[in-house]
Amino acid sequence: MNRIFFILLFLIFGKLNATNPDDLLGTWMSTDNSVKVEVYKVNNQFKAKVLWFNHLLSESKTPMHLSLDTNNPNPALRNRKILGMEILDGLRYDAQKKEWVNGKIYDASSGRYWSSCAKLLQNGILKVRGFWKVEWIGKSISFRKVS
């Protein structure tokens, strides 16, 4: 009887802890309601683009549909719109870690690219981390899935 209980317990918690790589796909809103992104997949790499952001939180307060990537270090890209811009590239699922790793995330407010990783927490919150060289030197943003 104890053996059956432990097997069932293992199956239940194993299922709760399991993550499907494609769980990342869809539309996500930051928990602070500052940005909404769409995550999609191309050739086993996860990417994301900006669908909406709160322009009132930016320094310039420029309306969202007019906001440009003015801080980009590449002058040729400074006239591209932030709305619809790809901000995440190269993220891949690591089945051992049960998280997405080795991505690059772009921060339009600084014009910098950062290494990135993402992890889906048990409560359904997606934690995305941008970092420099090592994960503990960086910043995280949390998202909830909206579709």
Side-chain angles (χ1 to χ4, degrees), residues 65-145:
H65 68 284
L66 298 175
S67 293
L68 302 177
D69 190 15
T70 56
N71 294 320
N72 196 301
N74 181 345
L77 298 178
R78 291 182 187 155
N79 287 323
R80 69 180 175 166
K81 290 189 176 190
I82 292 176
L83 196 59
M85 182 172 60
E86 188 175 276
I87 57 166
L88 178 67
D89 189 26
L91 208 57
R92 294 183 182 272
Y93 186 70
D94 182 326
Q96 278 189 317
K97 290 183 173 183
K98 293 186 177 161
E99 61 185 70
W100 295 266
V101 298
N102 299 327
K104 292 287 181 204
I105 194 164
Y106 179 69
D107 173 19
S109 65
S110 67
R112 295 187 64 183
Y113 283 92
W114 303 90
S115 296
S116 68
C117 60
K119 184 173 189 172
L120 191 57
L121 306 178
Q122 296 251 346
N123 61 2
I125 296 293
L126 178 67
K127 183 178 174 184
V128 179
R129 184 140 182 93
F131 58 93
W132 183 68
K133 303 230 183 221
V134 290
E135 283 187 47
W136 52 272
I137 301 177
K139 182 179 177 183
S140 294
I141 186 168
S142 297
F143 292 86
R144 67 183 180 285
K145 198 165 198 174

Side-chain angles (χ1 to χ4, degrees), residues 28-36 52-54 57 125-126 139-144:
W28 297 84
M29 173 67 84
S30 63
T31 55
D32 65 0
N33 295 317
S34 62
V35 64
K36 185 192 295 186
W52 175 91
F53 64 94
N54 187 343
L57 298 176
I125 296 293
L126 178 67
K139 182 179 177 183
S140 294
I141 186 168
S142 297
F143 292 86
R144 67 183 180 285

Side-chain angles (χ1 to χ4, degrees), residues 18-29:
T19 303
N20 177 339
D22 289 344
D23 287 347
L24 191 61
L25 300 174
T27 303
W28 297 84
M29 173 67 84

